[in-house]
Structure formats: structure tokens, C-alpha cells
Amino acid sequence: MSLLRNSAMAAVWMAMLVLAPLPVTAEPAAVGPAGDAFYTPPSPLPPGTRGSVIWTRSLEGTMALPSAGRNILVLYRSPDAQGRVVPVSGTVSIPSGEPPRGGWPVITWTHGTTGLAPICAPSRDTENGPEHEYIAVIRTLLDGFVKKGYAIVASDYEGLGTPGAHPFLQGVPTGRNALDMLRAARAIEPKIGTRYAVMGHSQGGQVDLFAAAQGPSYVPEFKQLGNVAFAPGSHIASRLDAVMKSGKTELSVPYVLYVLQSFAASNRAIDLKRILTPEALSHLPDLQVGCMTRALSTGYWSTAIAKDQFVPKPDIAAFLKMAAQNEPGMLRIAAPTLVVQGMADVTVLPKDTDDAVRQLCTKRNVVAYKPFAGADHDGSMTAGAQTARDWIDARFAGKKAESNCQALPKAGNE
């Protein structure tokens, strides 16, 4: 395991070095088109640096935070997994009133799993949206921060909102998407400050940790004060192993299929024909119809027997190598970290988060770990909201962060 983690860390740092930071110049942004046309970028895409704005408009969906003075929808530039600049959508929520000296403190939010299709982007959510139940929990959490005077920036990530493949559970490119939102937001509203925290849930908890690890080198003009990961995704390889052995319908199957497709799209050494049965391959397009809730509750993947989706001797060597590179527990993060985990979570297993936190501690990170009894997957955001607000307030107030690495609690005992 140590060799895998060392290899993964090397990959992260190499990505940082290849993509040296570029300046973002503030200039008036074009007004984007109405409706879904906003998410279709000009073709060809005009050249621009990462974090530069393509166009904006007023945000009308449910990611518009009620307590914000202004909510903005933005299309901006960010590199994909191969380093090519692509369009990415996101949102900016600015508090009411005048900012404090130094500008609005800012949180870059990293959302959890919504799906693979463009329609699954949080910025496209409506009251009748396919993932609205989840987005509503996010909105409540984030609105609590806007009320306290934090600007909130939130990337949809590449391939959600905009056309193209979504690099699901690929920590480096999605982390960069979140960090480039900081630049895009300041280009739109210079009253947003340069001190920031990262915060995310589930898939976004993994993104949060990768963004936090990359932040000091990737956006050096900003100062990172801390990060909060709610139920961060981890243990990718062990989840695949469990699914391949299970003779039941498993909640994890769509998530595992998301990861397999994501990794295969970025890594030619991963051949899905040598992993999945012909029947499973024929149903992969189903996962591009609708979003996560549909995949879990409707159609082939909601009833498929897990182990029957895999060929007898699947070739997963390249997948396992890439999975190790995307494990958040191996990261070295300069700023302090708060990890929140619901003890009744059946999506991100509490024992996996226990282990990921232990790994972060062995890397000498400053980690505070807070499990909540009775909280399920989305419930970790509700149960842990006040803890997260107090912890982030303390970071922006300059207070020293405490670690409980020497006596870690356990979430995996419910």
C-alpha cells in the first residue's frame, strides 16, 4: 500500500508542476444566452487562461442561495484530465451588504455525486430537477454560510452542465475545477477576497481533499485556511472488489460503473471489454440517461446482480493503479482539515472514512475527525453544519486548528 500511495502522491505533484499557475485578468464578462444554451460554449472556444470567464448571467435555479445579495451563473475555463482547457460551469453567491476589509471570505464548494449527464449539474437544478432532494440539502448548508458573510463559489465540474465526459472520482482535474472557480469569481466580483476554504460532500469530499492538496501551488495568489470534507469518497478498489464478489443487488453498482467509465475515458490501458460482460456493456448508456437517483431506482442497474456484471477474470490492473492515485488518504495537505462522517451512512461506509482519516494522520496532516451518530449520507451535512461553520469561522479568525489524530474516534460502529 505504501508504494501505491507514494506513486499516487507523485502523480498529484507532477500534475501541479505541469500546470504552473497563470494570472487571471479582471475584465467585463460577456452575458451568456438564456436557457440551456448557456452551457454550450462558443465554437471554437476562444483562447484564455484557466479560471478566465467565458460568460455569465443571473442564476435562476435552486442553487441560487436565498440569503445572497447576488447569485451568478458562470461559464469559465479549466483544464481537463489531459491538461486541455475546456469550458466548465458553476455558480457564485455573494453576500448582501459591503464586504469586510480584504474582501468577502470565500468557500469553494465541491458537490457530491449527481450523475454523469450534463443535466445532472447542480447549477441546472430546479424544484422538479432529477437530483433536487440532494441539491436542497446543499442549498440549506451553503445558505447558512452566506448568512454569515461568506461568498460561495461552486463548480459543476467538467462534463456536468457542459458537454463532454465527466472525470468522476478523478481528484486532480475536479480539484482544479474547484480552484479555478476562485479565479473566475474574483474576475466577476473583485470584492471577493483571496482567503478561502474548501468544503465538499461525498464525491465532493474527495474533490475537496484533492483541491486542498493542490491549492497552494495551483492558485498561489489565494491563501487557503482549511478544508471540510463531509463523508469523503475513498477506498475505490475495495468497493470494486466487494461488488465483484456480491451475489445481490448492490447500492454501489452504479457508483462503481461511474468510476469504471470515468477512468477508462482518461486511461487507454483500461479496457472495459476485459472487465464487464457484454450485457453490462450494452447497458452502460443507460447511466447517461437521467441522473444518480434514476440509476439507483429505475431500469437495469437498479436490479442487476452485482457479480454477474463482470467477466470471469477481469483485467483490472490499470484500474487499480489509477484508483490508488485517486485515494484521498495519501494526500499531504498544508492547511488543516475537518472530516465529518455520519455513522449511519450506507453510501460512504463509516469504516472506510475511519481508515482514510487514519491515513491522512499518518501523512502528518492536521486533522479533526467528527463522526455523528444516527446521521446518514446526506445527513452528515445537516448534523455537521454547525460544527463546520464554527470550525471555518475559527480558521478565518486566525485560531490554531486542533487535531485528534492521537485519539481518533470511530464512525464505523453503528
Side-chain angles (χ1 to χ4, degrees):
M1 286 295 292
S2 61
L3 288 176
L4 289 175
R5 288 198 296 270
N6 288 340
S7 171
M9 194 67 235
V12 171
W13 288 113
M14 183 59 70
M16 294 181 196
L17 292 172
V18 169
L19 289 164
L22 298 172
V24 174
T25 56
E27 56 185 34
V31 176
D36 291 346
F38 183 92
Y39 296 90
T40 302
S43 183
L45 185 68
T49 58
R50 67 193 191 208
S52 58
V53 176
I54 299 168
W55 55 42
T56 70
R57 76 168 195 230
S58 177
L59 174 62
E60 299 171 356
T62 55
M63 274 296 287
L65 303 181
S67 299
R70 223 169 13 129
N71 289 286
I72 304 164
L73 181 63
V74 57
L75 197 68
Y76 66 103
R77 297 172 180 86
S78 191
D80 65 9
Q82 287 73 43
R84 299 167 299 196
V85 172
V86 296
V88 180
S89 56
T91 60
V92 179
S93 298
I94 301 167
S96 299
E98 287 300 313
R101 183 177 180 181
W104 297 114
V106 59
I107 296 170
T108 183
W109 166 256
T110 52
H111 70 81
T113 306
T114 54
L116 296 182
I119 192 60
C120 306
S123 73
R124 295 178 71 156
D125 183 57
T126 65
E127 295 290 344
N128 298 314
E131 298 303 313
H132 178 65
E133 184 176 351
Y134 175 58
I135 303 303
V137 179
I138 292 173
R139 180 175 59 182
T140 298
L141 173 69
L142 298 183
D143 197 57
F145 281 91
V146 168
K147 285 179 181 177
K148 298 199 71 170
Y150 290 95
I152 303 294
V153 304
S155 176
D156 287 328
Y157 314 138
E158 173 196 352
L160 296 179
T162 53
H166 169 47
F168 181 74
L169 284 187
Q170 294 187 45
V172 170
T174 50
R176 293 196 302 247
N177 294 164
L179 294 167
D180 281 327
M181 269 300 307
L182 292 166
R183 285 180 167 146
R186 287 206 79 218
I188 296 165
E189 178 48 85
K191 290 183 180 180
I192 292 175
T194 57
R195 298 194 306 158
Y196 75 102
V198 191
M199 183 170 67
H201 172 253
S202 192
Q203 173 197 1
Q206 185 242 22
V207 177
D208 159 84
L209 293 166
F210 272 84
Q214 297 178 85
S217 293
Y218 191 80
V219 285
E221 70 272 35
F222 290 84
K223 183 177 181 180
Q224 184 184 149
L225 302 182
N227 77 96
V228 178
F230 293 93
S234 69
H235 290 66
I236 299 167
S238 63
R239 189 59 65 93
L240 172 64
D241 182 65
V243 165
M244 289 194 300
K245 293 176 180 177
S246 175
K248 302 184 298 181
T249 299
E250 293 283 352
L251 176 72
S252 299
V253 168
Y255 293 94
V256 168
L257 270 294
Y258 278 16
V259 184
L260 283 167
Q261 291 180 90
S262 165
F263 286 11
S266 299
N267 186 345
R268 293 182 180 179
I270 300 173
D271 183 357
L272 296 183
K273 293 179 181 178
R274 301 178 67 179
I275 300 173
L276 299 172
T277 65
E279 184 174 20
L281 289 167
S282 73
H283 284 284
L284 286 182
D286 298 358
L287 295 173
Q288 299 286 348
V289 179
C291 301
M292 175 52 75
T293 299
R294 183 183 187 279
L296 294 172
S297 61
T298 306
Y300 180 82
W301 293 111
S302 66
T303 60
I305 300 302
K307 66 181 180 62
D308 293 346
Q309 311 311 308
F310 300 89
V311 298
K313 294 182 179 180
D315 179 6
I316 59 172
F319 177 87
L320 293 177
K321 182 177 180 180
M322 193 167 177
Q325 293 170 350
N326 284 283
E327 281 298 328
M330 54 74 188
L331 295 170
R332 183 71 180 94
I333 303 172
T337 297
L338 169 66
V339 178
V340 174
Q341 177 65 44
M343 295 171 70
D345 195 334
V346 296
T347 303
V348 170
L349 301 180
K351 67 180 181 63
D352 287 348
T353 303
D354 288 349
D355 191 49
V357 170
R358 181 190 59 78
Q359 292 172 345
L360 286 168
C361 287
T362 63
K363 292 292 182 181
R364 299 182 180 178
N365 293 298
V366 176
V367 184
Y369 186 32
K370 178 64 175 176
F372 282 88
D376 62 10
H377 189 53
D378 293 355
S380 65
M381 290 185 285
T382 302
Q386 188 61 53
T387 295
R389 285 194 293 269
D390 292 344
W391 190 89
I392 288 179
D393 284 348
R395 303 292 76 74
F396 278 90
K399 297 179 182 178
K400 182 179 178 181
E402 301 295 330
S403 170
N404 58 358
C405 281
Q406 297 304 313
L408 285 173
K410 287 188 177 181
N413 57 13
E414 273 199 359

